[in-house]
């Protein structure tokens, strides 16, 4: 049986990857996380016009990023690497999200917008670009 090879781009595309070494550095630390680290995700959500939170290597996260980039938006990207990191992120987001945390999640203007399905539906209906302009992610 063949094993899948993870997708890796041949050129460096750091389209807003703001947490590249966050979790790898966090694993090296042997002390309990401080309140500042616990609020990292919430701060990123409030400070960025558009942020995508998804699992590393997830095809749906890739589609979300590419759609936003094709519209001229350079979203901040937060990629969750492992299940225990997913639990940490989910705990941080529970204060602003009702219900289950599902990836990918798109935040526009500091508020949860939805996932891939809502993003695609809004894009098809023509309502996404005005929303992005209102949030300050597009200047056209």
């Amino acid at each position: 049986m063949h094993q899948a090879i993870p997708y890796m781009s041949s050129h460096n595309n750091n389209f807003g990857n703001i947490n590249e070494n966050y979790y790898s550095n966090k694993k090296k630390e042997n002390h309990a996380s401080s309140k500042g680290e616990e609020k990292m995700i919430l701060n990123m959500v409030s400070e960025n016009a558009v942020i995508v939170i998804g699992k590393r290597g997830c095809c749906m996260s890739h589609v979300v990023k590419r759609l936003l980039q094709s519209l001229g938006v350079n979203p901040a990207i937060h990629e969750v690497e492992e299940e225990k990191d997913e639990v940490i992120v989910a705990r941080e987001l529970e204060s602003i999200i009702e219900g289950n945390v599902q990836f990918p999640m798109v935040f526009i203007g500091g508020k949860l917008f939805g996932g891939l399905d809502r993003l695609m539906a809004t894009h098809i209906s023509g309502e996404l670009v005005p929303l992005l302009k209102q949030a300050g992610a597009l200047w056209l």
Side-chain angles (χ1 to χ4, degrees):
M1 187 156 204
H2 298 285
Q3 186 176 14
I5 299 172
Y7 171 78
M8 297 294 284
S9 177
S10 61
H11 50 80
N12 190 4
N13 274 7
N14 283 339
F15 291 110
N17 285 343
I18 55 179
N19 74 322
E20 190 169 306
N21 293 317
Y22 172 73
Y23 287 111
S24 60
N25 290 339
K26 191 167 185 164
K27 290 175 195 171
K28 292 176 186 175
E29 298 174 1
N30 291 328
H31 58 78
S33 62
S34 67
K35 288 191 177 196
E37 289 174 340
E38 292 173 0
K39 300 291 182 186
M40 185 185 115
I41 301 291
L42 298 176
N43 288 338
M44 286 190 314
V45 167
S46 64
E47 292 173 358
N48 292 290
V50 178
I51 183 167
V52 177
I53 301 175
K55 294 181 184 178
R56 182 175 299 261
C58 173
C59 61
M60 292 188 300
S61 296
H62 180 75
V63 171
V64 167
K65 290 184 279 189
R66 291 297 177 194
L67 173 62
L68 291 169
Q69 290 168 353
S70 72
L71 294 172
V73 176
N74 191 14
I77 310 295
H78 185 81
E79 293 180 330
V80 179
E81 293 185 25
E82 297 179 7
E83 282 187 36
K84 63 181 178 178
D85 297 333
E86 185 177 333
V87 171
I88 293 169
V89 171
R91 264 193 233 135
E92 292 177 24
L93 292 171
E94 283 176 350
S95 63
I96 59 172
I97 296 175
E98 295 177 14
N100 293 336
V101 175
Q102 296 179 352
F103 296 110
M105 295 188 304
V106 180
F107 289 86
I108 298 177
K111 297 177 185 172
L112 177 63
F113 180 72
L116 176 61
D117 53 349
R118 175 128 189 250
L119 190 72
M120 291 295 287
T122 310
H123 174 61
I124 291 168
S125 69
E127 299 170 3
L128 183 59
V129 171
L131 242 161
L132 293 169
K133 286 180 182 178
Q134 184 181 10
L138 282 177
W139 296 286
L140 299 175

